[in-house]
Amino acid sequence: MDRTSLGAAVTARGLGVAGPRGRTFHDVDVAAAPGDLVAVRGPSGSGRTCLLLTLTGRMRPTAGTAEVGGLPLPRRMAAVRRITALAQVAGVCEPEGALSVAEHIRERVLLCRRFTGGPRALFRPPAGAAERADAALAAVGLDPDALPAGPRTLARDLDRPASLRLSLALALIGGPRLIAVDDADLKLDPAERADAWALLRSVAASGPTVLAVCAEAPEDADAVVTTVPAHGKETADAFAEAGRA
């Protein structure tokens, strides 16, 4: 099976979100093929994160049109959520500092079983769960045994590159067709930034389409989407709503 059958195409025209405080982002166009690596660049406060939430079915657009994997937004938001995953979105989806790497992996496997197999799935032997987790960790190059405290290493003790790898592994466990990654290059030095983009390129090459928020887009991105500051701003209410989706 090639990446075209695994990834989700993303199209948007004139996409925007506005609320009581004004526009969060507006007039965004996206054209991405399955398995593409898409860089979402723009200054802080320009709606980059809200664009990710919108294209993964966690935030309702108020202008324009969009489709993810052939599913129109906002009409099929729930269906879009089932085929997408978020990685390191602060306030919505990020590793919990007090939990260990092993606990994060175990929790994500159980959550995936809960939403794909119903409540009773939690009480059945987790057939194949270990293999799925191992495959996700291998795909992002994260070896829990090599961490300072092994699998018991707390998320808050991970450096930024390792935290990114953990976030991506957790996203991959559910087998998404699209992964949206926030702040992919935040607080990384040039070498770490190059490694992060190589990692995201590798994940995209394995199948899922990858949308990655950044301050500076890499030259080898398949597509670049630019957001510009609007009159509104990303609000706590918007993120709280996305977290409930």
Side-chain angles (χ1 to χ4, degrees), residues 167-179:
S167 294
L168 287 170
L170 296 176
L172 283 168
I173 287 175
R177 297 179 60 196
L178 181 147
I179 298 176

Side-chain angles (χ1 to χ4, degrees), residues 157-198:
D157 295 329
L158 297 175
D159 60 20
R160 186 72 183 181
S163 182
L164 173 61
R165 292 180 188 275
L166 174 60
S167 294
L168 287 170
L170 296 176
L172 283 168
I173 287 175
R177 297 179 60 196
L178 181 147
I179 298 176
V181 187
D182 201 13
D183 290 329
D185 58 358
L186 181 67
K187 298 181 180 179
L188 300 181
D189 63 33
E192 291 171 338
R193 189 176 302 117
D195 288 344
W197 285 115

Side-chain angles (χ1 to χ4, degrees), residues 10-245:
V10 182
T11 59
R13 183 173 295 276
L15 193 65
V17 168
R21 302 188 185 185
R23 296 182 300 186
T24 300
F25 67 86
H26 65 104
D27 201 25
V28 170
D29 295 338
V30 183
D36 273 358
L37 172 60
V38 182
V40 180
R41 68 181 180 187
S44 178
S46 63
R48 301 173 306 175
T49 304
C50 287
L51 177 61
L52 294 190
L53 296 175
T54 301
L55 291 175
T56 56
R58 274 82 173 174
M59 186 173 288
R60 182 177 295 274
T62 57
T65 61
E67 283 192 0
V68 177
L71 301 167
L73 291 169
R75 186 163 58 87
R76 301 293 305 279
M77 288 177 66
V80 169
R81 289 196 294 272
R82 286 194 291 269
I83 66 168
T84 62
L86 297 171
Q88 69 174 23
V89 180
V92 178
C93 176
E94 59 184 328
E96 170 56 52
L99 295 181
S100 69
V101 170
E103 288 170 330
H104 276 99
I105 296 295
R106 188 179 307 116
E107 178 187 59
R108 184 56 56 95
V109 168
L110 291 174
L111 285 174
C112 288
R113 290 176 60 77
R114 164 67 180 85
F115 290 115
T116 59
R120 292 184 180 180
L122 292 173
F123 300 98
R124 294 197 297 266
E131 290 78 4
R132 289 172 62 187
D134 288 345
L137 291 168
V140 302
L142 181 63
D143 180 4
D145 291 328
L147 295 172
R152 295 183 179 180
T153 301
L154 299 181
R156 63 170 170 248
D157 295 329
L158 297 175
D159 60 20
R160 186 72 183 181
S163 182
L164 173 61
R165 292 180 188 275
L166 174 60
S167 294
L168 287 170
L170 296 176
L172 283 168
I173 287 175
R177 297 179 60 196
L178 181 147
I179 298 176
V181 187
D182 201 13
D183 290 329
D185 58 358
L186 181 67
K187 298 181 180 179
L188 300 181
D189 63 33
E192 291 171 338
R193 189 176 302 117
D195 288 344
W197 285 115
L199 170 61
L200 294 171
R201 166 62 69 190
S202 175
V203 170
S206 72
T209 306
V210 176
L211 306 180
V213 162
C214 59
E216 183 177 348
E219 294 183 357
D220 64 344
D222 294 304
V224 177
V225 177
T226 302
T227 57
V228 296
H231 296 298
K233 62 181 179 179
E234 298 173 359
T235 66
D237 289 344
F239 285 109
E241 183 65 28
R244 289 193 291 270

